[in-house]
Amino acid sequence: MKTNRRHFIKQITAGGIGLGFIPGLHAEGSISDKFEVLSKGTGRKQYFNMCGYRAPKLDIVRVGFIGIGNRGYSNLNQMTFLDGVQIKAVCDIVQFRIDNVQQLLVKQGLPEAQVYTGSEDAWRRVCENPDIDLISIAVPRGPLHARISVYAMECGKHVAVEVPAIATVDEAWEVVETSEKTKKHCYMMENCCYDFFELLTLNMARQGFLGDIIHADAAYIHHQSIYEKTKDNNMWRLEESRRHNGNLYPTHGLGPVCQVMDINRGDKLDYMTSMSSNDFMLGKKVSELAKDDLFYKKYDTGSYRGNINTSIIRTEKGRTIMLQHDITSPRVYSRIHMISGANGAAQKYPLPARISLGSQWLDDEEMKKVNDRYMPEIVKRIGDMAQKVGGHGGMDFLMTWRLIDCLRNGLPMDIDVYDAAAWSVIIPLSEKSVSNRSKPVEIPDFTRGAWRTNKPVDLSLTEGNTTTVRRS
Ligand SMILES: NC(=O)c1ccc[n+]([C@@H]2O[C@H](COP(=O)([O-])OP(=O)(O)OC[C@H]3O[C@@H](n4cnc5c(N)ncnc54)[C@H](O)[C@@H]3O)[C@@H](O)[C@H]2O)c1
């Protein structure tokens, strides 16, 4: 305890640097090194390194939205608060979704958007529109995320795609290589990376408070009734649970801990093993519903994914991550977010979030000191506004503000195409491991060796920070 207390006092009183790149943390390599490295076993060569890439600045970011259901509507609403954004076009196959968005724009005193609808591939015409800079994608996950992302980048657009960015290993490579060839960003909208405690722990890890990071527990535990009919009877979540058995939604838990571990930027995910329980709930529930409602007959197949999936990942530098997925059990919401370091640990769930430097949690007074000392600048500057706007407690607004500010100021993306691929590829790889009695599977190095010299995410706000709020 005495050593821990000394560590606490030393850390809390030390003059610190912001949430950014720590010189010397990762050895610099020459640019040519990066391009010559071939990924182990894949024989693939990096065309261009998109990590740290600064695209030409965009004074105004003109956005086209594809898929404006729950998430697309919310993402669009966040952008109506910002200067330097024009909502140019919207695309959906369901008319009431389009009406909702146009009403929102009118209510906010903004011009109505151009509408693309009428067919399953109307999205192609949005991507081809020369007056658009950024395509925001929030259609149901599956093959459409990668298909639209690739086409949009080929049409010269940056992409902001909902989680998960890809559904198969081949899609992951295609998205990565297209981003490199076109030099267009493929940003994955992993909003949990912008939640306040996740940003706090990222900053604490960077500044050495937690010591060497050894292990993290992460999860998506969210009790959902995915068998309930939606407004448009689109049961894609139920369908997904029928077709796939693994971790179907890894990025909310994994993204923030990968940033803490500098994955793709100093370390990389190496291999994983995954195990699923049987299904004890979904099949039974759907069978019950099918007795009284013909609508459910086609879903009453009796085979659904296991209710709880647990994966373990090892990184190249020998750290470990436990990652869980459970959306059926009657459990309290949790992404766990437990980071274990040589000097201390942080754990977000069950709330309240806490920090320990030994066998006891820090008390309220000590937690306040940690918050004051380590809460990053982005939260200090934009946090109040973000909480006012809402969207998962403010993290959605922080993410949207940051995405637009990076594009307007030509800054590198906090979440680049390699992160999008590595965090999302857990879906097909967990499925593969589960179907092979949990045999380990290699996680591809999408950076093809560049992880050794790529710099960690820099959220210090020493650059940019010019995007203002047009309404509050
Ligand atoms: N980041 C988060 O917190 C978060 C939360 C929920 C969902 N998501 C992700 O967002 C995505 C969308 O989820 P959602 O809850 O908004 O689903 P949703 O079903 O509410 O919305 C999807 C929309 O896409 C439209 N659509 C379907 N096919 C289309 C096509 N071919 N062309 C144009 N539009 C099409 C649908 O009509 C619907 O309006 C998913 O990938 C999901 O994983 C992320």
Side-chain angles (χ1 to χ4, degrees), residues 119-304:
S119 74
E120 287 283 339
D121 64 354
W123 53 266
R124 288 184 179 275
R125 290 184 285 125
V126 189
C127 298
E128 289 158 10
N129 183 332
D131 297 329
I132 288 176
D133 308 297
L134 173 70
I135 296 288
S136 180
I137 304 166
V139 293
R141 50 186 179 254
L144 264 188
H145 279 201
R147 201 172 298 154
I148 301 175
S149 299
V150 166
Y151 192 66
M153 288 187 278
E154 283 171 347
C155 290
K157 315 295 191 245
H158 295 301
V159 164
V161 60
E162 259 307 336
V163 297
I166 55 89
T168 68
V169 178
D170 286 348
E171 283 175 13
W173 280 114
E174 198 184 354
V175 166
V176 164
E177 291 182 353
T178 307
S179 177
E180 292 175 348
K181 285 177 190 168
T182 58
K183 294 192 188 165
K184 292 294 163 193
H185 291 301
C186 182
Y187 176 83
M188 185 170 70
M189 290 186 271
E190 186 34 86
N191 42 348
C192 298
C193 290
Y194 297 87
D195 212 349
F196 299 3
F197 189 75
E198 280 80 341
L199 286 168
L200 176 77
T201 47
L202 177 58
N203 204 16
M204 288 168 70
R206 283 294 166 69
Q207 297 194 42
F209 187 92
L210 300 171
D212 282 338
I213 305 300
I214 303 164
H215 175 86
D217 286 347
Y220 184 66
I221 298 167
H222 188 184
H223 185 216
Q224 294 175 341
S225 305
I226 59 167
Y227 42 79
E228 274 175 14
K229 285 184 202 171
T230 57
K231 276 189 216 155
D232 43 10
N233 281 347
N234 186 341
M235 306 297 283
W236 61 268
R237 284 187 167 86
L238 192 60
E239 284 283 1
E240 179 186 52
S241 286
R242 195 160 58 145
R243 285 196 309 269
H244 302 285
N245 190 11
N247 185 331
L248 307 188
Y249 206 53
T251 69
H252 284 339
L254 188 58
V257 306
C258 281
Q259 288 194 327
V260 165
M261 291 185 180
D262 290 330
I263 296 301
N264 295 330
R265 303 147 189 266
D267 198 355
K268 75 171 181 69
L269 303 180
D270 189 8
Y271 66 92
M272 65 176 285
T273 180
S274 187
M275 191 177 284
S276 284
S277 72
N278 281 351
D279 169 40
F280 293 85
M281 284 177 273
L282 269 178
K284 274 188 203 161
K285 186 73 201 170
V286 173
S287 277
E288 266 170 39
L289 291 165
K291 280 183 199 151
D292 300 324
D293 188 345
L294 271 180
F295 174 82
Y296 284 101
K297 279 278 179 245
K298 68 173 169 178
Y299 301 107
D300 186 16
T301 56
S303 70
Y304 279 91

